[in-house]
Amino acid sequence: AQAHKLLGLKRPHRSFFESFIRTLIIVCTALAVVLSSVSICDGHWLLVEDHLFGLWYFCTIGNHSEPHCLRDLSQAHMPGLAVGMGLARSVAAMAVVAAIFGLEMLIVSQVCEDVRSRRKWAIGSYLLLVAFILSSGGLLTFIILLKNQINLLGFTLMFWCEFTASFLFFLNAASGLHINSLTQPWDPPAGTL
């Protein structure tokens, strides 16, 4: 702040609308990170008859008894399930990591406003786009692996949380990039002051 005063630089003035939109993007991104984290940690995404398929476990549910869960997905007698679920959970977990770094860049760009704030905001938005791609990849891998068992009503709340988080990653990334391009100051032409 003192350097800005000495150099006679003024902080760029933001409208209430722009600040509100940027805050809303940050809050929605934080919500998406929480939804995705909880969804991956729980991991139970599909219930079909007496089987519960998840990223971490395969469970058999008997009548009026506790579910019998196996961590070894190869015992589900479905070829490629263990390797595919390992890929799905790895990609989904990497999406959360990318989203956390993206969220951090968005927050830092707003808290520490300087010459590079817009660049930090753009980097954060691109990281959210990467999170969307990874999260969608995890969802698609899960769906492809279990395409023969899928029933639309069989998807659990945790699956829909991950789906919503993936959608929010995309929406916030697109909104972040759009608001940054709309509010970017025009550079004066070379040679004019």
Side-chain angles (χ1 to χ4, degrees):
Q2 289 177 350
H4 281 281
K5 287 180 185 176
L6 289 174
L7 295 173
L9 299 174
K10 294 181 181 178
R11 291 177 82 177
H13 178 63
R14 286 206 176 136
S15 68
F16 170 77
F17 182 71
E18 180 185 351
S19 298
F20 176 73
I21 294 295
R22 287 180 186 267
T23 303
L24 193 61
I25 289 170
I26 290 171
V27 170
C28 289
T29 300
L31 175 65
V33 168
V34 170
L35 284 175
S36 188
S37 299
V38 169
S39 175
I40 292 167
C41 288
D42 177 78
H44 296 121
W45 285 5
L46 183 66
L47 178 63
V48 180
E49 296 173 357
D50 60 344
H51 297 300
L52 183 63
F53 294 96
L55 295 175
W56 305 95
Y57 301 101
F58 166 74
C59 300
T60 304
I61 303 168
N63 292 337
H64 307 293
S65 65
E66 290 292 319
H68 176 65
C69 295
L70 303 169
R71 191 165 178 90
D72 184 7
L73 296 175
S74 61
Q75 293 182 10
H77 305 296
M78 294 179 66
L81 186 66
V83 174
M85 285 302 174
L87 177 66
R89 68 176 167 251
S90 297
V91 169
M94 298 248 326
V96 173
V97 172
I100 289 170
F101 282 117
L103 177 61
E104 181 182 355
M105 292 300 286
L106 296 180
I107 292 171
V108 167
S109 75
Q110 297 308 293
V111 172
C112 306
E113 290 187 40
D114 58 7
V115 178
R116 293 181 293 272
S117 289
R118 291 187 180 278
R119 179 182 287 164
K120 291 175 190 171
W121 182 270
I123 291 170
S125 297
Y126 283 121
L127 283 170
L128 290 182
L129 202 55
V130 169
F132 161 70
I133 293 167
L134 291 172
S135 179
S136 298
L139 286 168
L140 284 175
T141 302
F142 184 84
I143 290 170
I144 290 168
L145 284 171
L146 298 170
K147 64 180 178 286
N148 295 331
Q149 282 77 26
I150 285 181
N151 174 355
L152 191 60
L153 297 176
F155 287 121
T156 65
L157 181 61
M158 290 298 110
F159 176 86
W160 292 114
C161 283
E162 182 65 19
F163 182 84
T164 303
S166 181
F167 178 71
L168 284 174
F169 289 148
F170 172 74
L171 189 63
N172 291 322
S175 301
L177 292 170
H178 187 62
I179 191 96
N180 216 32
S181 68
L182 285 178
T183 58
Q184 192 164 7
W186 292 92
D187 294 327
T192 61
L193 293 175

